[in-house]
Amino acid sequence: TLSGNPLAVASGIATLSKIKNDKSFYSRLDEYTNKLCFGLSNLAKTRKIPIQINRFGSMFTCFFSETQVVDYKTAKTSDLDRFKKWFQEMLKEGIYLPPSQFEAAFVSCAHGDHDLHITLTAAEKAFSKLLN
C-alpha cells in the first residue's frame, strides 16, 4: 500500500497542498464521477443489460445485477462471468478497470471530458459485445 513510503508520503503532502487551495476540487471530482457513472448506467440500460453502480465519492463499482447490491451476499448474486467479459473488453479498448467485481474503480481530477468520452465510447463497444 506504500503507507509510510517516503515517496508516497511526499506525493500525498503535495496533493493535499494543491487541493487545499482549489475550492472547486471536490465539486469537479463529484461532477465527473457522476457523469461517468450515469453514462455507464445509461449505456447498459439501452442494451437491456442489468447493471447496478454503487458509488461513494469518486469510487465506484459496476455490478451486473437486476437487484440492488448492498452487501457481500447481494454482490455475489451478480453476474460475475459478464463482469469478467466486460473487464476484458474494456481492457482491449485501453480502459484499465479493477479486475475483480469486488474492487472499486477510482476517478481523479486528472481525468477530464476527453477521458470521459474515451471511457464511455469504450464502454459502449464493450456492452455491445456482452450481448453475443
Side-chain angles (χ1 to χ4, degrees):
T1 62
L2 298 177
S3 59
N5 178 296
L7 183 58
V9 172
S11 297
I13 291 170
T15 300
L16 291 172
S17 296
K18 183 172 179 162
I19 65 175
K20 177 178 155 184
N21 298 320
D22 185 348
K23 302 298 181 206
S24 65
F25 175 82
Y26 288 107
S27 61
R28 286 193 332 271
L29 182 59
D30 186 62
E31 178 184 348
Y32 179 80
T33 308
N34 193 44
K35 282 182 186 178
L36 177 60
C37 291
F38 184 76
L40 291 170
S41 181
N42 280 342
L43 288 170
K45 288 177 182 173
T46 298
R47 286 174 175 68
K48 297 185 176 29
I49 297 172
I51 195 168
Q52 303 293 317
I53 300 179
N54 287 11
R55 175 182 167 221
F56 184 81
S58 63
M59 301 183 310
F60 70 95
T61 303
C62 298
F63 295 96
F64 293 97
S65 176
E66 294 199 24
T67 59
Q68 188 177 14
V69 176
V70 296
D71 55 19
Y72 182 67
K73 182 178 177 181
T74 54
K76 283 180 42 179
T77 66
S78 62
D79 189 337
L80 299 179
D81 289 331
R82 184 172 264 178
F83 180 88
K84 182 178 173 181
K85 186 172 182 181
W86 183 66
F87 167 79
Q88 291 297 325
E89 293 301 328
M90 291 294 280
L91 200 57
K92 288 176 190 174
E93 295 296 324
I95 305 300
Y96 300 94
L97 296 169
S100 170
Q101 176 86 58
F102 305 104
E103 295 180 63
F106 295 84
V107 176
S108 80
C109 274
H111 297 109
D113 288 334
H114 180 69
D115 302 298
L116 178 67
H117 174 73
I118 290 170
T119 304
L120 293 176
T121 300
E124 189 170 21
K125 291 177 186 176
F127 285 139
S128 70
K129 299 213 175 147
L130 296 183
L131 301 173
N132 301 335

